[in-house]
């Protein structure tokens, strides 16, 4: 039995987002007929509660929780059971979900005749509802402006249809169609085939469904205990990179009093065309901490100024070849050794430590040839000082540097050629458009960058909490609904439940009680059984006969 105080805690979580009010207002527009028995806030609270207790979003399980796991008084109070003792039916629940989905549907394949303005209005309204709901647990936290972004796979409940090439192979007479049925149609017209990281749980790199693009708060660099809460999410078909949807979130936040200031992203984002990602972030003033794709790395000489751009930063042209492309280690850091580790695990850890140590040593050596930032121009372009003037290299372009110790590395210029302008001038100005794709505040591979970039693991942690069997339990079959809108709505309930679990755990660990929900006592104190008259049953009325009663 779920106590009233727990149900009302989840109800308050929904109500303070005001999502139910917006949906109810839209549902009432231009409609008549009998009033609904099931309110939106009650359904959403029951859905989040079901996600918490049963790790599913199946509507049959939501109804079972409402009608069997809540007390009769709670059912009567919130319309789950009418005054005539009529329970809310599956038909009513399906009707409500369908009404909400149809009200916000914006797919061009499902509604080809929808105008562009109406399609945009519906999409913006729906994504706003989703963000308000999943960010409700973080309402009493300090506003966040630093996020890690990433995508994770969400499998559809439907089976994906085969391509025409696959269907042609399946039509061979030798095929046993009972073991491998031909699927030329699909129950989910919004889902697509896509790729995911193969793990022990999913066993394959291909799946049919969606990508969930998520923004997880990360805190400032050096902040250790930060609640890993997903505060924005967008769903796209699995064959989409979700880049435009991610940019839409950043641009929408830029119009609010709390714009996003910092984004942590992996190579999937930084490898995008500069106009679609890096230029957008630069124009909005969003600082980036990113990893780089191997194809983006390497030396790119400036045609006139005599420096080379390497991994988004200007370096001296005489930099040794072995420092131009430094191999990134598998792991940027290695955790402490485990107690009672096997010899094999100890050897594996030692190899990882050696790999990281070598990487950091090469990065430190390359930093000797790195130009140092020296402020910005009025137009926003960076000024850089040569490594010789910074006291790191001996260079003829700056004669004073030749007095540095003899073991200081020297910038060697080709004989018979003039010394490059980058070595002669006090500073050089690097245009905003030069190396913009890979530009970031911290030097890639440096200890400071590694510490800052390590925060990106928090978005992966939020996915782990969402999908773990003892967490959110998101895997194929977590819902039987299909379609982008319905899947997103039900997934938002799961994300909200996961966010609340994370918040309550973090609050207890840190003694944080600013949110009233953290003060709700969810301890099971048992219950008292009542009789037909409503009074508590006691041993005097229900226990075995006493000796004096038997004698009488």
């Amino acid at each position: 039995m779920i106590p009233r105080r727990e149900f009302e805690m989840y109800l308050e979580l929904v109500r303070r987002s005001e999502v139910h009010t917006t949906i109810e207002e839209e549902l009432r527009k231009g409609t008549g007929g009998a009033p609904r028995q099931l309110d939106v806030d009650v359904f959403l609270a029951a859905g989040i509660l079901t996600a918490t207790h049963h790790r599913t979003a199946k509507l049959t399980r939501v109804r079972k929780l409402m009608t069997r796991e809540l007390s009769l008084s709670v059912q009567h109070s919130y319309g789950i059971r009418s005054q005539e003792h009529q329970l809310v039916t599956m038909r009513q629940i399906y009707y409500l979900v369908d009404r909400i989905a149809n009200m916000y549907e914006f797919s061009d394949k499902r509604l080809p005749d929808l105008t562009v303005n109406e399609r945009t209005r519906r999409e913006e309204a729906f994504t706003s509802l989703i963000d308000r709901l999943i960010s409700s647990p973080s309402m009493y936290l300090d506003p966040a402006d630093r996020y890690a972004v990433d995508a994770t796979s969400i499998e559809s409940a439907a089976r994906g249809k085969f391509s025409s090439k696959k269907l042609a192979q399946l039509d061979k007479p030798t095929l046993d169609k009972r073991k491998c049925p031909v699927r030329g149609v699909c129950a989910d017209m919004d889902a697509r085939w896509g790729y995911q990281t193969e793990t022990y749980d999913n066993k394959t790199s291909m799946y049919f469904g969606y990508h969930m693009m998520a923004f997880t708060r990360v805190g400032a660099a050096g902040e250790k205990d930060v609640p890993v809460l997903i505060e924005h999410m967008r769903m796209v078909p699995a064959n989409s990179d979700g880049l435009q949807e991610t940019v839409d979130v950043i641009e929408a936040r830029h119009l609010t009093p709390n714009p996003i200031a910092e984004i942590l992203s992996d190579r999937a984002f930084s490898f995008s065309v500069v106009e679609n990602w890096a230029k957008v972030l630069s124009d909005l003033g969003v600082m980036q901490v990113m990893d780089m794709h191997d194809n983006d790395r390497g030396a790119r000489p400036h045609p006139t100024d005599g420096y080379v751009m390497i991994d988004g930063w200007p370096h001296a042209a005489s930099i040794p070849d072995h420092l131009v492309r430094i191999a990134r280690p598998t792991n940027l850091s290695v955790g402490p050794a485990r107690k009672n580790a096997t010899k094999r695990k100890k050897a594996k850890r030692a190899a990882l430590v050696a790999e990281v140590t070598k990487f950091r040593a090469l990065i430190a050596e390359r930093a000797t040839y790195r130009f140092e930032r020296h402020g910005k121009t009025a137009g926003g372009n960076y000024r850089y000082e040569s490594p010789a003037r910074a006291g790191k290299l001996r260079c003829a372009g700056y004669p004073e540097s030749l007095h540095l110790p003899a073991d200081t590395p020297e910038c060697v210029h080709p004989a018979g050629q003039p010394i490059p302008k980058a070595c002669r001038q006090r500073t050089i100005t690097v245009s905003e458009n030069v190396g913009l794709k890979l530009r970031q505040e911290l030097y890639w591979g440096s200890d400071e960058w590694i510490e800052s970039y390590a925060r990106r693991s928090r978005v992966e942690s939020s996915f782990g909490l969402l999908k773990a069997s003892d967490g959110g339990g998101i895997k194929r079959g977590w819902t039987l609904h299909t379609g982008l809108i319905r899947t997103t709505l039900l997934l938002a309930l799961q994300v909200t439940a996961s966010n609340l679990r994370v918040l309550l755990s973090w609050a207890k660990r840190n003694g944080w009680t600013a949110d009233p929900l953290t003060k709700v006592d969810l301890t099971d104190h048992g219950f008292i059984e009542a009789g037909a008259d409503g009074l508590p049953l006691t041993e005097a009325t229900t226990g075995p006969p006493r000796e004096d009663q038997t004698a009488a």
Side-chain angles (χ1 to χ4, degrees):
M1 183 70 67
I2 296 175
R4 173 186 284 267
R5 62 182 177 274
E6 184 175 2
F7 176 77
E8 291 182 342
M9 180 181 79
Y10 282 76
L11 194 62
E12 172 59 25
L13 180 69
V14 172
R15 286 178 173 175
R16 73 189 192 184
S17 72
E18 300 184 352
V19 165
H20 67 293
T21 304
T22 304
I23 296 177
E24 290 283 10
E25 290 175 354
E26 290 294 322
L27 289 173
R28 293 193 180 103
K29 288 182 179 179
T31 59
R36 278 181 290 105
Q37 180 178 342
L38 181 62
D39 291 332
V40 173
D41 56 350
V42 174
F43 165 72
L44 294 178
I48 299 171
L49 200 54
T50 303
T52 299
H53 284 269
H54 304 291
R55 301 179 181 87
T56 183
K58 294 176 182 176
L59 297 185
T60 52
R61 197 65 190 79
V62 175
R63 181 183 182 273
K64 188 175 181 180
L65 180 140
M66 288 192 290
T67 59
R68 297 188 186 182
E69 298 181 38
L70 298 177
S71 66
L72 291 177
S73 61
V74 173
Q75 293 178 27
H76 281 299
S77 298
Y78 294 104
I80 298 169
R81 184 186 294 265
S82 68
Q83 296 303 319
E84 294 77 23
H85 296 280
Q86 294 294 322
L87 288 169
V88 64
T89 65
M90 281 305 306
R91 182 177 181 180
Q92 291 172 315
I93 296 176
Y94 282 131
Y95 173 78
L96 178 59
V97 173
D98 288 343
R99 281 289 309 278
I100 296 173
N102 294 335
M103 187 168 60
Y104 291 105
E105 182 61 66
F106 57 84
S107 169
D108 54 352
K109 291 190 175 182
R110 294 179 183 271
L111 298 174
D113 297 330
L114 208 61
T115 64
V116 174
N117 290 339
E118 177 62 16
R119 195 183 308 281
T120 302
R121 185 198 69 81
R122 291 190 179 193
E123 183 177 3
E124 291 178 350
F126 182 67
T127 54
S128 173
L129 286 177
I130 297 301
D131 285 348
R132 283 160 53 191
L133 180 61
I134 67 174
S135 61
S136 181
S138 58
M139 181 173 291
Y140 285 83
L141 293 170
D142 292 334
D145 60 359
R146 295 179 172 92
Y147 293 93
V149 296
D150 204 358
T152 188
S153 59
I154 303 294
E155 291 193 68
S156 171
R159 285 179 172 268
K161 69 177 183 178
F162 292 142
S163 64
S164 56
K165 181 178 179 181
K166 184 68 173 177
L167 287 172
Q169 295 174 350
L170 294 176
D171 286 337
K172 294 178 181 179
T174 57
L175 180 68
D176 185 352
K177 289 190 171 69
R178 291 173 297 178
K179 294 182 180 178
C180 190
V182 175
R183 297 199 298 274
V185 295
C186 176
D188 193 341
M189 64 186 301
D190 296 330
R192 294 292 184 271
W193 287 100
Y195 291 94
Q196 62 184 353
T197 302
E198 184 175 349
T199 64
Y200 177 82
D201 293 324
N202 57 43
K203 301 291 192 304
T204 179
S205 60
M206 285 200 68
Y207 76 102
F208 183 75
Y210 304 91
H211 273 145
M212 181 182 82
M213 317 301 299
F215 286 67
T216 300
R217 63 161 59 207
V218 295
E223 236 181 310
K224 299 300 182 184
D225 197 0
V226 177
V228 286
L229 304 177
I230 299 174
E231 296 190 346
H232 299 282
M233 59 172 277
R234 296 291 183 269
M235 290 278 280
V236 296
N239 64 350
S240 171
D241 59 11
L243 186 68
Q244 184 57 53
E245 288 74 12
T246 305
V247 168
D248 289 344
V249 172
I250 298 173
E251 290 180 335
R253 278 287 298 269
H254 187 69
L255 302 176
T256 69
N258 182 36
I260 294 176
E262 185 181 29
I263 286 290
L264 285 81
S265 59
D266 62 7
R267 288 166 283 187
F269 291 90
S270 65
F271 191 54
S272 304
V273 177
V274 63
E275 291 78 14
N276 295 342
W277 179 250
K279 185 69 165 63
V280 175
L281 298 186
S282 177
D283 291 345
L284 296 177
V286 179
M287 187 171 67
Q288 213 181 162
V289 181
M290 62 178 178
D291 201 359
M292 301 178 187
H293 195 281
D294 287 343
N295 292 346
D296 277 335
R297 301 182 57 223
R300 292 170 174 80
H302 191 277
T304 59
D305 290 356
Y307 63 86
V308 293
M309 292 295 294
I310 301 176
D311 298 346
W313 207 282
H315 292 75
S318 63
I319 185 171
D321 291 341
H322 73 280
L323 298 177
V324 172
R325 187 184 289 271
I326 300 174
R328 183 192 188 279
T330 306
N331 298 320
L332 291 169
S333 61
V334 183
R338 295 185 178 181
K339 294 182 179 180
N340 303 322
T342 63
K343 289 184 178 180
R344 183 178 179 181
K345 289 184 177 179
K346 288 181 179 178
K348 183 178 180 180
R349 182 181 180 279
L352 291 175
V353 170
E355 189 180 15
V356 172
T357 303
K358 179 182 178 182
F359 173 75
R360 293 194 172 194
L362 289 172
I363 290 294
E365 183 182 356
R366 186 170 73 178
T368 304
Y369 297 85
R370 178 188 71 190
F371 280 66
E372 298 298 331
R373 280 186 178 160
H374 199 72
K376 281 187 176 183
T377 65
N381 297 322
Y382 280 106
R383 283 197 181 99
Y384 290 88
E385 183 182 53
S386 73
R389 292 178 182 271
K392 299 187 297 181
L393 279 182
R394 301 173 65 189
C395 179
Y398 181 56
E400 287 84 349
S401 67
L402 300 177
H403 299 292
L404 291 172
D407 59 349
T408 304
E410 186 172 356
C411 183
V412 180
H413 302 288
Q417 294 187 12
I419 297 175
K421 182 170 68 173
C423 296
R424 291 183 282 107
Q425 292 188 170
R426 177 73 179 87
T427 61
I428 60 169
T429 300
V430 178
S431 171
E432 181 186 7
N433 297 323
V434 176
L436 177 60
K437 184 177 183 180
L438 304 180
R439 183 178 298 164
Q440 52 188 324
E441 290 296 318
L442 300 177
Y443 189 63
W444 182 85
S446 65
D447 292 348
E448 297 79 12
W449 177 86
I450 290 175
E451 180 184 9
S452 182
Y453 187 72
R455 294 175 293 160
R456 201 196 71 84
S457 64
R458 290 170 186 168
V459 68
E460 297 174 349
S461 297
S462 64
F463 293 156
L465 294 170
L466 192 60
K467 293 186 174 184
S469 57
D470 58 348
I474 296 294
K475 60 181 180 180
R476 189 169 186 271
W478 65 275
T479 179
L480 299 181
H481 271 70
T482 59
L484 181 65
I485 298 295
R486 290 170 176 81
T487 303
T488 304
L489 175 63
L490 297 177
L491 182 61
L493 301 182
Q494 302 287 114
V495 172
T496 306
S498 179
N499 279 349
L500 182 60
R501 284 194 300 271
V502 170
L503 178 73
L504 295 179
S505 176
W506 175 84
K508 182 179 180 180
R509 191 168 59 249
N510 291 274
W512 183 79
T513 57
D515 191 334
L517 298 185
T518 63
K519 302 176 183 179
V520 178
D521 182 13
L522 297 180
T523 306
D524 184 4
H525 298 287
F527 63 93
I528 298 176
E529 187 176 358
D533 57 0
L535 299 176
L537 297 177
T538 64
E539 185 179 352
T541 58
T542 63
R546 298 192 301 270
E547 292 183 3
D548 58 341
Q549 292 176 332
T550 304

